[in-house]
Amino acid sequence: YMLQVGINGYGTIGKRVADAVRAQPDMEVVGVAKTRPNFEAEGAVENGYPLYAAIEERAGRFDDAGIELAGMVEELVEAADVIVDACPSGIGADNKSLYDEYDTPALYQGGEDASVADTSFNARANYDEAVGAQHVRVVSCNTTGLSRLVAPLREEYGVEKVRATLVRRGGDPAQTGRGPINDIVPNPVSLPSHHGPDVKTIFPDLAIDTLGLKVPATLMHMHSINVSLEAEPDAEEVRELLERQSRIFVIPEHMDIDGAGKLKEFAMDRGRPRGDFWENCVWGESVSMEGNDLYLFQAIHQESDVVPENVDAIRAVTNAADAEESIETTNDALGIGF
Ligand code: NAD
């Protein structure tokens, strides 16, 4: 049986999740929903995804643009075993009653408030909490990146405290209206940034402080990390632990990748779709220990690291596989790891 997956909101995240679902051996995209006939709607049709109108009053616009619709979003929700809601922040919560009406389990994205869902989700950290759940929130790009790092450190050494400074891209490449254009903006100025509390939706008892800044870049986020461990492993041991994590790419020194620009170039050279990086990218030589303090830099591709997490969450809510099996299937189907 192929799980029938519907995607409501076919933008930056939604279109990537659709392609990732299609690549899985046990899932099919039953359709995608959009509000308007823009280039991404054209792309959906081009890719062979049945396209549904998200807002009935605006359905005529698709006809006017010569884009054929398969129906209205309600029909998609009814036909799907699971809906992935990838609408802009806040819209997911508005859509919740629609999913409930058809009794269709739904995944939401990190822009939604944690209260929208029964549980927040990261495959490496808390897959089991989403098994059989009706509403699950896949945490944001930055929270996903932090959770993937914290989970193995906690298991292996214990974590006293995480301190993370997040240098955030001002906007995604297609977000022409975002900024700053020429500034370095503490965001928020007062601590903590929302990321620390968000990571605690995955690890409720974790001590974590986060600070955020926004810079004029679109490529990736960059995290400067300090974790006080409950042990004093040497840096090489920690590096090897991180190398064993399937969704952490430890950049070898010899690759001479000095920043997010070369990282993205590397992803494109390797033929990654849209130049995506599904993995955290940790600089190998940045992994350092001073006493029990671990330091490192990692880059997070905001547009794609949550994509494999959505695929795993689909299997969790439908109870189609356990964590290990799902992560392995997803990784194999997408080609995660280098
Ligand atoms: P986006 O704007 O690129 O895509 C959203 C899509 O939803 C657009 O195609 C839009 O037309 C469509 N849409 C708007 N209203 C709709 C409605 N009522 N019904 C159906 N579709 C509707 O946004 P995005 O970047 O993909 O973000 C989606 C979610 O993912 C947000 O919660 C965001 O916080 C989260 N997220 C984004 C990123 C990122 O960096 N882009 C990373 C992780 C998580």
Side-chain angles (χ1 to χ4, degrees):
Y1 178 75
M2 302 284 265
L3 284 169
Q4 303 294 303
V5 180
I7 291 140
N8 191 17
Y10 189 79
T12 306
I13 300 298
K15 64 188 176 186
R16 287 173 166 83
V17 170
D19 291 354
V21 164
R22 175 179 266 179
Q24 304 304 309
D26 55 346
M27 298 180 189
E28 256 166 29
V29 177
V30 61
V32 305
K34 272 204 65 68
T35 50
R36 61 202 166 100
N38 71 349
F39 74 100
E40 283 162 329
E42 289 231 0
V45 174
E46 194 68 28
N47 287 335
Y49 298 131
L51 181 64
Y52 292 79
I55 299 174
E56 189 155 15
E57 305 82 74
R58 296 196 205 154
R61 293 200 203 171
F62 289 91
D63 288 339
D64 296 345
I67 295 179
E68 200 182 326
L69 286 177
M72 295 298 143
V73 67
E74 290 77 11
E75 298 166 74
L76 175 63
V77 174
E78 189 171 18
D81 296 320
V82 180
I83 281 283
V84 179
D85 185 296
C87 291
S89 303
I91 308 274
D94 295 342
N95 290 335
K96 188 173 176 177
S97 57
L98 169 65
Y99 309 141
D100 274 338
E101 198 177 314
Y102 292 93
D103 207 22
T104 306
L107 309 184
Y108 304 86
Q109 305 305 313
E112 300 301 321
D113 200 87
S115 63
V116 76
D118 313 325
T119 183
S120 292
F121 180 86
N122 171 256
R124 176 65 179 78
N126 72 342
Y127 185 100
D128 290 348
E129 284 172 36
V131 171
Q134 191 73 9
H135 302 279
V136 170
R137 183 181 72 120
V138 176
V139 291
S140 74
C141 47
N142 283 313
T143 304
T144 295
L146 290 168
S147 298
R148 285 176 179 168
L149 188 66
V150 166
L153 294 174
R154 261 165 72 104
E155 287 165 18
E156 200 73 17
Y157 308 118
V159 166
E160 256 174 37
K161 180 153 194 161
V162 179
R163 298 173 180 85
T165 300
L166 289 74
V167 181
R168 301 165 62 194
R169 57 91 179 99
D172 293 343
Q175 289 177 314
T176 43
R178 295 270 289 251
I181 288 176
N182 177 21
D183 209 341
I184 304 158
V185 185
N187 179 261
V189 176
S190 50
L191 271 59
S193 73
H194 72 271
H195 307 94
D198 204 37
V199 173
K200 283 160 82 84
T201 65
I202 301 291
F203 309 99
D205 60 343
L206 181 72
I208 177 166
D209 292 337
T210 55
L211 297 83
L213 300 125
K214 278 192 189 180
V215 297
T218 62
L219 298 173
M220 298 176 88
H221 299 295
M222 191 76 76
H223 296 178
S224 169
I225 304 276
N226 163 221
V227 183
S228 299
L229 300 172
E230 286 169 0
E232 294 192 17
D234 61 33
E236 187 52 34
E237 193 190 309
V238 178
R239 199 174 303 127
E240 284 168 14
L241 171 70
L242 299 180
E243 280 167 356
R244 289 196 297 277
Q245 308 304 310
S246 65
R247 292 182 185 166
I248 295 182
F249 169 51
V250 179
I251 309 163
E253 194 168 358
H254 75 262
M255 279 194 174
D256 204 14
I257 290 175
D258 63 2
K262 283 203 187 70
L263 263 179
K264 288 286 287 170
E265 189 73 9
F266 172 64
M268 288 187 283
D269 286 351
R270 289 299 181 97
R272 282 291 176 89
R274 303 183 173 93
D276 283 350
F277 254 115
W278 299 299
E279 306 88 347
N280 291 20
C281 302
V282 173
W283 270 271
E285 67 267 40
S286 76
V287 177
S288 311
M289 289 295 306
E290 299 289 337
N292 69 330
D293 273 323
L294 165 67
Y295 294 91
L296 59 82
F297 287 117
Q298 67 173 359
I300 299 295
H301 189 224
Q302 71 279 358
E303 297 172 285
S304 66
D305 75 327
V306 300
V307 169
E309 308 297 326
N310 273 274
V311 173
D312 291 328
I314 291 167
R315 291 200 190 90
V317 297
T318 54
N319 208 350
D322 64 20
E324 199 183 333
E325 191 186 340
S326 178
I327 289 171
E328 199 179 313
T329 305
T330 305
N331 290 354
D332 284 354
L334 293 179
I336 289 184
F338 292 99

